[in-house]
Amino acid sequence: MSPEQQRIIEQGEWFKNRSPYLKSFLLTQGKTLSLNAQQSLFLRGDQHDGLYAVLSGVVRVSGVSSEGKEAVLSFIDSSLWFGELTLFDGGLRTHDVHAQTNVTLFFVPQRCLGQLLNEQPKYWQDFGLLLAQKLRVMFSSMEDQALLTAEQKVCKRLLMLSEHSDVNKALVLSQQQLADMSYLTRQTINQILQHLVSLKAISLGYQRITILDKQKLKVLATQT
């Protein structure tokens, strides 16, 4: 891992608050790997193989119906860890994960994690905190679906997707993918995005949404 890649991992909220020993263990036991855009990392039903962190690019978490229709659940960008759910139950992967863009990942194999947790079970709490962070986001999203207007949902989702990105850095996603995540129709998404463009809060390109004014989105996400 390069110094720049280590700096990116250190920026992540979960990793930077871990003990020096756990940080060192993860960094020395893991390795980097790269995927091209649209390449799969793992699919629903695959065996658990370990824990991942995004060093660059964005990965897409989704499910696919029996007819082959993909429903996008979320995107994961740099400094964020994922794959911890199956660490707890030893079960199969619950969703598909693909590279949305070209990505570089950091991977810590299951055998290393299992050895650590068998020898020092106190570290289960650290991985439990990682899982709890995801549960908090999930519960918040469920509440949003029940209480927010369509425009509020879209603004809040865009803010969430851009949380770890600078202003004027494009989000790589289609309007249909944003519709899937917001539980809205593509037509409704298009109308809302065009309104946000008119307010100069965002700009649009081919499968690109660029946040121009996060503060304006924050106001729109909370105003009644």
Side-chain angles (χ1 to χ4, degrees):
M1 180 185 295
S2 70
E4 175 62 18
Q5 290 173 332
Q6 185 167 340
R7 185 189 67 80
I8 290 170
I9 280 205
E10 291 280 358
Q11 290 177 339
E13 189 68 26
W14 177 76
F15 186 85
K16 72 180 180 182
N17 290 312
R18 306 284 57 84
S19 70
Y21 177 86
L22 182 55
K23 285 182 179 181
S24 176
F25 176 87
L26 293 172
L27 292 176
T28 56
Q29 297 299 317
K31 63 179 181 180
T32 60
L33 57 93
S34 298
L35 297 176
N36 295 322
Q38 306 310 320
Q39 189 175 350
S40 66
L41 177 62
F42 55 77
L43 302 176
R44 174 181 286 163
D46 285 352
Q47 295 288 335
H48 173 65
D49 59 349
L51 199 61
Y52 295 87
V54 180
L55 296 175
S56 66
V58 179
V59 299
R60 180 177 79 251
V61 182
S62 62
V64 179
S65 71
S66 57
E67 291 78 27
K69 175 177 170 54
E70 181 185 43
V72 177
L73 302 179
S74 66
F75 293 98
I76 304 172
D77 59 12
S78 60
S79 81
L80 299 181
W81 291 75
F82 65 97
E84 74 283 352
L85 176 61
T86 49
L87 176 65
F88 282 86
D89 64 6
L92 304 177
R93 294 296 190 184
T94 59
H95 292 89
D96 301 341
V97 173
H98 290 81
Q100 178 73 0
T101 64
N102 293 341
V103 297
T104 303
L105 303 170
F106 186 69
F107 169 61
V108 183
Q110 168 61 24
R111 56 179 175 77
C112 300
L113 296 169
Q115 181 179 352
L116 170 71
L117 294 169
N118 285 333
E119 295 176 354
Q120 302 192 59
K122 65 180 180 180
Y123 288 116
W124 274 113
Q125 183 178 15
D126 292 87
F127 295 105
L129 289 172
L130 180 60
L131 181 60
Q133 289 177 358
K134 307 288 179 62
L135 287 173
R136 286 182 180 276
V137 172
M138 183 186 73
F139 288 141
S140 177
S141 296
M142 291 171 63
E143 182 177 347
D144 290 347
Q145 293 308 316
L147 300 178
L148 299 184
T149 66
E151 183 172 280
Q152 287 174 322
K153 291 177 187 177
V154 172
C155 291
K156 193 165 184 179
R157 178 62 67 173
L158 290 174
L159 287 168
M160 185 183 302
L161 292 172
S162 64
E163 183 178 359
H164 301 279
S165 302
D166 298 328
V167 173
N168 294 327
K169 181 178 179 181
L171 301 173
V172 182
L173 76 163
S174 68
Q175 292 190 22
Q176 185 59 58
Q177 290 171 335
L178 183 57
D180 291 341
M181 289 185 287
S182 306
Y183 299 96
L184 299 168
T185 66
R186 188 184 179 285
Q187 181 180 13
T188 299
I189 288 292
N190 182 260
Q191 291 171 349
I192 292 171
L193 292 179
Q194 293 300 332
H195 181 233
L196 296 179
V197 168
S198 71
L199 296 176
K200 294 182 170 56
I202 66 169
S203 65
L204 296 177
Y206 177 69
Q207 296 195 352
R208 299 285 193 280
I209 301 174
T210 303
I211 310 298
L212 302 178
D213 192 332
K214 284 190 176 183
Q215 187 56 41
K216 192 169 290 184
L217 288 180
K218 290 176 183 177
V219 171
L220 292 168
T222 56
Q223 72 180 13
T224 57

